[in-house]
Amino acid sequence: MRILRRGAHGRAMTATVPVETYKDALLVLAAAGAAVPMVKLLRISPVLGFLGVGAVLGPHGLGNLVGEVPVLRYLTISDQELMARIAEFGVVFLLFVIGIELSWARLWTLRRLVFGLGFAQVVTCGAALGLGVALAGGAAAEALVIGSALALSSTAIVLESLAERRRLGTSAGRTSFAVLLFQDLAVVPLLFLVGVLGAREEGSVATGFVIAIGQAVFAIAVIVLIGRRALRPFFRLVAAADSPELFMAAALLVVVGTALATGAAGLSMPLGAFIAGLLLAETEYRREIEVMIAPFKGLLLGVFFISVGMMVDIGGIARQPGVIVGAAAAAVVVKTLIVYGLVRLFSGGHAVATESALLLGPGGEFAFVLLTHAAALAVVPRPVSDIAIAATAVTMVFIPLLARLGAIAAGRFDRPGALPPEAQMQPEPGEHGHAIVIGCGRVGRLVSDMLSAQAIDHLVVDRDVATVTAERRHGRNVFYGDATRREYLRLCGIADAAGLIITVDASTAVDEIVRQAKALTPGIKILARARDARHARHLYGLGVTHAVPETIEASLQLSEASLVHLGVPMGLAIAAVHDRRDLFRNELRAMREAREP
């Protein structure tokens, strides 16, 4: 491609733009633009879509055919190393967003899972997998490194799969996150261990290990200290400038700066971003920053998943399918069984242990780092590291599927057996006229508070053990149970209830609760939360008394506030919004009736 320029004497000059320099970036953008609509159309996980794109466009996919068909080089991502460096920032932004949604107080409540369960998982899985490598004929150092690498799981894919299915806040989500957080911390000593084994230095291992841990602790302490003192004043100055561009630049500076700082200290870059998110979670700017960072996180995570897909050597698997697939299956089975047992040991129920085990069973991205580093130092022979990397990549491809199976299994095993005392309490509804609120999330708590303020007898039902336990300890009348089961609705006294209020956001659960309630008590008043107007029409078709679409209700509340602040009297504004709400409700019902005469 040539660009026309003018020289010093006015003569035309041409400059050639190196297309190869931008080819990979264009391919990634084009692939992302094509993959997202396609996976939505096919109703599969976006993660699987990006992994598939990477496998096809990578050096082991179409790249294998470039020698025979040279034109395919324009459709192949060639700079795999550059892609990996860019992709790492996808994990950085993911951990930052997770950190900003947490807080130091909430993280402190996970300390037993992070340093207890997480430590036990890394040590036990690493020892078991290393023993398997040793029995297969590997040397001691080789077994130690490969076992440790395969013991790690994928922070990016697991957390993204949980977020996609809205299960990060569940007990299994918190358990998996705690283990993944410890694994990120464990990368530092594991990398040091590989370096020591590669250098073959004796007598200085303990000293070097202590120094490495000391450096890591010092780096984290410095980041926390500076962040607590500087972040709030810094963003106050940025916000005073009233410039969205400057605010975005400041947010990116904090994320990338802390990630690079921890990377320079020998820690993982995502860990630094996570700490920055925790620090900003205590400020009043957390939501604005979260909204601005979200697009970067989504795009860079897509690049990360594509880079993982590029590591899947389809040809290599075809040449040694038994070895690679067998190694991948053995690693997943061993880790799944060990994680299940450890979670059960740490007082987790069958449901939590099953889902956590399936999520953490596959390998992770840090295994690539450890195995590549070990191969470069000749700790692990290159052919062996290639097999281990291929097996790890294969296991990561199946994480979305295992996450789905874990959620299904958790739903089947989720029975109030070995539960905390608070979650074993059974509902005791009033004699007549009580209300039943399904869901104790943000919406359910607000509804319960409003009912309590008006002295209306009601009980609240939720499926999350931790939520029920915490709410009961705060004095709320919350009970653990599955409202999609007809027997549990009977236990709640639905036959004598004045109304059923459904506040959960999972549309399939809402539909099932409505069907079961209508089957038991056809005349009961049901007020349900709906995703949008389409879901509301569907719920009216199921027989709900009133469906509240989140999108429409938010628009009406904004309209009411706008009218009042623009000078319309409060009474007239409320009346206008009330009339429009009735109009929307009647339109939704009429559209449903027109579709199903």
Side-chain angles (χ1 to χ4, degrees):
M1 182 177 182
R2 296 181 179 275
I3 298 177
L4 187 64
R5 294 180 179 172
R6 292 285 174 184
H9 301 288
R11 289 178 298 182
M13 300 175 62
T14 60
T16 302
V17 176
V19 177
E20 293 289 337
T21 305
Y22 305 101
K23 180 200 65 173
D24 288 351
L26 289 174
L27 276 176
V28 169
L29 291 175
V36 173
M38 188 175 297
V39 296
K40 286 187 176 180
L41 184 64
L42 298 175
R43 295 184 179 181
I44 62 177
S45 169
V47 175
L48 285 178
F50 284 121
L51 291 173
V53 167
V56 172
L57 301 183
H60 304 299
L62 294 178
N64 277 328
L65 304 176
V66 170
E68 301 174 8
V69 187
V71 72
L72 288 179
R73 68 190 180 93
Y74 295 107
L75 299 176
T76 304
I77 300 174
S78 53
D79 197 341
Q80 191 170 356
E81 185 178 349
L82 176 61
M83 283 284 294
R85 287 200 299 268
I86 298 174
E88 187 175 6
F89 281 97
V91 190
V92 165
F93 280 93
L94 174 65
L95 265 293
F96 175 79
V97 171
I98 291 172
I100 209 170
E101 290 176 352
L102 285 171
S103 64
W104 288 107
R106 292 179 64 188
L107 183 63
W108 180 248
T109 62
L110 295 174
R111 64 189 184 279
R112 181 171 175 267
L113 292 176
V114 174
F115 298 103
L117 177 60
F119 175 79
Q121 185 273 327
V122 171
V123 172
T124 310
C125 290
L129 294 170
L131 179 61
V133 174
L135 292 176
E142 182 182 336
L144 179 60
V145 172
I146 294 178
S148 300
L150 296 181
L152 305 179
S153 307
S154 176
T155 300
I157 302 181
V158 169
L159 294 183
E160 184 67 13
S161 298
L162 286 169
E164 180 188 338
R165 302 183 64 81
R166 301 192 177 189
R167 296 192 64 80
L168 264 174
T170 63
S171 297
R174 286 190 292 270
T175 300
S176 302
F177 171 73
V179 174
L180 291 169
L181 182 57
F182 183 84
Q183 290 180 2
D184 286 348
L185 292 170
V187 170
V188 180
L190 289 177
L191 282 173
F192 173 78
L193 177 64
V194 172
V196 170
L197 293 173
R200 299 293 192 271
E201 295 178 358
E202 298 181 2
S204 61
V205 175
T207 303
F209 185 81
V210 172
I211 292 174
I213 296 299
Q215 289 176 344
V217 172
F218 177 75
I220 293 175
V222 170
I223 292 173
V224 172
L225 181 62
I226 295 176
R228 282 187 177 275
R229 294 184 176 274
L231 282 180
R232 194 185 296 270
F234 173 65
F235 275 100
R236 190 178 296 122
L237 289 174
V238 173
D242 196 21
S243 170
E245 295 82 5
L246 181 60
F247 198 92
M248 179 180 293
L252 292 175
L253 173 64
V254 170
V255 179
V256 178
T258 51
L260 292 177
T262 52
L267 294 163
S268 70
M269 290 172 58
L271 179 62
F274 176 72
I275 295 172
L278 286 175
L279 293 170
L280 285 172
E282 300 175 348
T283 70
E284 60 271 29
Y285 307 104
R286 56 181 298 188
R287 293 303 176 197
E288 184 70 15
I289 295 172
E290 186 178 354
V291 170
M292 286 190 170
I293 292 297
F296 296 95
K297 182 204 79 171
L299 178 60
L300 291 172
L301 268 182
V303 177
F304 169 79
F305 297 137
I306 290 175
S307 70
V308 172
M310 291 169 61
M311 295 181 185
V312 180
D313 186 356
I314 301 175
I317 296 173
R319 287 190 296 270
Q320 328 180 56
V323 176
I324 294 176
V325 175
V332 171
V333 170
V334 170
K335 285 179 65 179
T336 299
L337 293 175
I338 292 175
V339 172
Y340 176 84
L342 290 175
V343 175
R344 292 285 291 149
L345 185 63
F346 277 75
S347 302
H350 284 291
V352 177
T354 301
E355 186 172 2
S356 301
L358 290 173
L359 286 167
L360 300 174
E365 53 273 6
F366 285 121
F368 302 140
V369 179
L370 287 172
L371 292 169
T372 303
H373 188 44
L377 296 176
V379 177
V380 177
R382 178 69 65 178
V384 177
S385 71
D386 289 344
I387 292 175
I389 289 174
T392 301
V394 169
T395 64
M396 293 172 68
V397 170
F398 288 95
I399 292 177
L401 175 61
L402 292 175
R404 184 183 295 272
L405 292 176
I408 295 173
R412 296 196 175 182
F413 289 143
D414 202 1
R415 298 290 183 266
L419 299 174
E422 292 85 356
Q424 295 185 30
M425 301 292 293
Q426 296 296 319
E428 296 180 2
E431 294 181 0
H432 184 72
H434 68 286
I436 303 173
V437 180
I438 308 298
C440 194
R442 171 177 49 86
V443 179
R445 283 194 298 269
L446 179 58
V447 171
S448 177
D449 289 341
M450 298 293 287
L451 294 176
S452 298
Q454 300 299 321
I456 297 177
D457 184 26
H458 69 282
L459 58 87
V460 185
V461 176
D462 197 279
R463 288 188 60 180
D464 186 68
V465 177
T467 298
V468 173
T469 302
E471 294 299 326
R472 288 199 67 85
R473 289 175 181 174
H474 284 87
R476 287 186 183 271
N477 195 32
V478 183
F479 298 92
Y480 171 83
D482 184 1
T484 62
R485 296 168 53 212
R486 191 174 300 186
E487 298 80 6
Y488 193 79
L489 288 176
R490 284 198 186 98
L491 184 64
C492 293
I494 193 171
D496 299 319
L500 180 66
I501 306 168
I502 307 173
T503 70
V504 297
D505 61 353
S507 56
T508 54
V510 175
D511 295 352
E512 186 61 26
I513 294 169
V514 171
R515 292 190 185 97
Q516 298 298 339
K518 279 294 188 181
L520 289 172
T521 313
I524 190 172
K525 296 178 181 178
I526 302 178
L527 298 92
R529 172 184 176 183
R531 286 283 185 86
D532 47 29
R534 181 179 180 182
H535 187 212
R537 287 196 298 271
H538 173 69
L539 291 176
Y540 280 126
L542 294 179
V544 304
T545 309
H546 183 40
V548 182
E550 293 181 354
T551 52
I552 294 178
E553 194 58 35
S555 302
L556 291 174
Q557 292 181 22
L558 180 60
S559 301
E560 179 183 330
S562 301
L563 292 174
V564 172
H565 285 284
L566 292 175
V568 177
M570 177 70 76
L572 291 178
I574 294 175
V577 171
H578 183 73
D579 290 342
R580 182 55 62 94
R581 183 181 286 111
D582 286 342
L583 177 62
F584 276 131
R585 187 186 311 163
N586 294 332
E587 285 179 352
L588 292 173
R589 285 174 171 166
M591 291 175 67
R592 182 71 194 191
E593 292 171 358
R595 289 187 178 188
E596 297 182 4

